[in-house]
Structure formats: C-alpha cells, structure tokens
Amino acid sequence: MVQEGISGGFYTASNSEVGQAPFFSKFDQNLNQLWQVQIPKLISLSQVWVAAPGIIYATGIGSFGSATRSVILKFIDNLPNSPTLVSINI
C-alpha cells in the first residue's frame, strides 16, 4: 500500500514474512527511503492515510495476548527521525 504525503514524498505499508512484524516506511519523491520501522505485535498492515501534515493513520491486524484484533494506529511523523506511535485503538 502507498499513500502520498501532504508535504511531499509518500508512505508505504508492507507485510513481511510469516512471523515477522510488518514495515511502515516513508520515501521522498526520488524514492530515497527517509525512515522505516517495524511495528511489534502486528500481524499485518492493510491501509495507510494522512490526516494532516505529520499525522498518519494505519490500519491492520494485531495479536494481543491470545486474541487477534483489528487495530487503528496513529503516528506523528518526526522527520528526519522515525515516527512516534501515539495511539493504538483496538
């Protein structure tokens, strides 16, 4: 999945190999990777969208305890540093 950023570049969500956490990344308009993070406890990411400059949401599926649940994650883009996960709604 790819989502264009409001201030340029774009965000991607990609699922990894079985047993590995998915990746959330940001690239500039020249395809240079600006940051990449793995999100522990998630099984997959299915969508990413930008709500406002620097505010990014993602949806996915996570494994919490013995339950598998849909989640909505909210991030703040701290470019040039990695994003900050500010909330998880289960």
Side-chain angles (χ1 to χ4, degrees), residues 1-3 10-27 33 35-49 56-61 73 75:
M1 192 138 17
V2 176
Q3 171 65 51
F10 57 94
Y11 299 93
T12 65
S14 57
N15 296 312
S16 189
E17 298 177 19
V18 174
Q20 298 293 318
F23 290 95
F24 179 45
S25 307
K26 183 173 184 178
F27 294 85
Q33 189 175 59
W35 50 252
Q36 180 181 60
V37 294
Q38 274 189 293
I39 306 167
K41 298 195 182 243
L42 286 191
I43 297 167
S44 68
L45 283 173
S46 56
Q47 187 176 4
V48 173
W49 70 96
I56 308 107
Y57 289 91
T59 58
I61 298 174
L73 305 113
F75 295 91

Side-chain angles (χ1 to χ4, degrees), residues 26-85:
K26 183 173 184 178
F27 294 85
D28 68 15
Q29 64 275 10
N30 297 316
L31 302 178
N32 296 308
Q33 189 175 59
L34 302 174
W35 50 252
Q36 180 181 60
V37 294
Q38 274 189 293
I39 306 167
K41 298 195 182 243
L42 286 191
I43 297 167
S44 68
L45 283 173
S46 56
Q47 187 176 4
V48 173
W49 70 96
V50 178
I55 306 296
I56 308 107
Y57 289 91
T59 58
I61 298 174
S63 178
F64 304 94
S66 61
T68 300
R69 300 182 180 152
S70 295
V71 296
I72 299 173
L73 305 113
K74 180 180 180 183
F75 295 91
I76 295 176
D77 188 347
N78 298 314
L79 194 65
N81 300 314
S82 295
T84 301
L85 177 61

